[in-house]
Amino acid sequence: MSERVTEKGQAIYSKKVLSIYDFWVLGVSNHLFWKCPTRKISNHFLDCVSPNHLDVGVGTGYYLKNYLPKKTKRIALLDMNRNSLSEASNAISHFQPEIYQADVLNMHDLCVEKFDSISVNYLLHCLPGNLVEKSILFENLKNLLSDEGVLFGSTILGKGVEVNFCAQKIMNIYNKKGIFCNFDDDYDSLSKSLSEHFSKVDIRIIGCVALFSCKNKKS
């Protein structure tokens, strides 16, 4: 999968778009369209995050600036978009975050110390291809996860969930523009992709959103 294709889904995140992201996505869309209140994702983040954490697909850094443990010893940001990395790193500058600009689908091994938790919120539905193709992300990230670590996150499914009229219209527009690529993303595909790389997989569906968490498979 080429880097040019991967870039399409993240290209929308300009400084202007990021300035309204929290209001539109976390304040409006999650509640009215995707039917998964942001507090549900926030609670999931709180349940899984560790003091040695990597956030992938950082957006504005909302969950980091609001829910990182005070005892956090190490925090890292990984994203393809420079605007998002800048926005998120500024939001948590007091933690002195490590910053990595990389494409998770075309990522070479990062020579860094492993993390005890990795979060991937609202990234999968923006990546090109079906969930089998997107699972390259899981293969890449599991190498950055400690033996007892947890990978967790959330994604908007486009198939096998109840989608209201307005949500379907918005999803159609986002897919047409290449912001989303999730028409074929469903529970079974997500479960299969996660189980291929991780053990103790847990997936909960709230509205159109899948909240997932999993641990490394032992070799």
Side-chain angles (χ1 to χ4, degrees), residues 2-218:
S2 70
E3 292 190 13
R4 182 175 298 176
V5 172
T6 309
E7 285 175 359
K8 193 174 182 181
Q10 61 83 40
I12 189 176
Y13 295 107
S14 64
K15 292 180 180 180
K16 183 177 181 180
V17 168
L18 288 170
S19 71
I20 63 169
Y21 180 91
D22 287 358
F23 166 76
W24 177 248
V25 176
L26 306 181
V28 176
S29 299
N30 279 352
H31 293 266
L32 296 182
F33 307 137
W34 315 135
K35 298 299 181 181
C36 179
T38 298
R39 62 181 171 80
K40 298 286 188 180
I41 305 173
S42 300
N43 289 337
H44 186 54
F45 186 94
L46 274 170
D47 288 342
C48 298
V49 69
S50 77
N52 175 26
H53 183 70
L54 169 65
D55 192 64
V56 181
V58 299
T60 63
Y62 173 84
Y63 300 104
L64 302 176
K65 63 189 176 187
N66 289 294
Y67 301 107
L68 270 183
K70 292 182 179 179
K71 61 181 179 179
T72 295
K73 298 178 180 178
R74 179 186 179 217
I75 176 68
L77 311 175
L78 192 155
D79 202 294
M80 195 174 180
N81 187 291
R82 288 186 179 184
N83 295 323
S84 293
L85 286 172
S86 177
E87 181 86 9
S89 62
N90 287 338
I92 58 166
S93 59
H94 54 293
F95 283 111
Q96 298 182 314
E98 301 169 25
I99 299 173
Y100 303 103
Q101 186 176 12
D103 175 0
V104 290
L105 298 185
N106 298 282
M107 188 173 68
H108 301 292
D109 289 340
L110 295 179
C111 296
V112 298
E113 184 180 346
K114 294 188 176 184
F115 300 92
D116 295 325
S117 58
I118 298 176
S119 56
V120 189
N121 280 307
Y122 276 24
L123 175 61
L124 278 170
H125 58 251
C126 297
L127 297 177
N130 57 43
L131 275 170
V132 174
E133 295 168 321
K134 297 178 190 185
S135 68
I136 297 171
L137 172 147
F138 302 131
E139 182 177 353
N140 291 336
L141 292 181
K142 73 177 181 181
N143 296 320
L144 301 177
L145 193 64
S146 64
D147 289 343
E148 300 301 322
V150 58
L151 181 141
F152 67 96
S154 55
T155 188
I156 299 169
L157 301 179
K159 185 178 177 182
V161 290
E162 292 187 14
V163 183
N164 63 41
F165 177 81
C166 291
Q168 190 64 66
K169 288 291 185 182
I170 291 173
M171 200 177 293
N172 290 345
I173 292 170
Y174 287 178
N175 273 271
K176 185 176 181 179
K177 290 182 175 292
I179 300 168
F180 278 15
C181 184
N182 72 335
F183 278 148
D184 293 322
D185 292 3
D186 61 7
Y187 176 95
D188 290 338
S189 299
L190 179 61
S191 179
K192 182 178 179 180
S193 296
L194 288 170
S195 298
E196 183 177 345
H197 300 289
F198 297 96
S199 59
K200 298 181 180 178
V201 172
D202 179 73
I203 303 173
R204 289 184 293 141
I205 304 296
I206 303 176
C208 302
V209 177
L211 303 179
F212 58 87
S213 61
C214 44
K215 291 191 173 184
N216 254 336
K217 280 189 172 180
K218 302 296 184 182

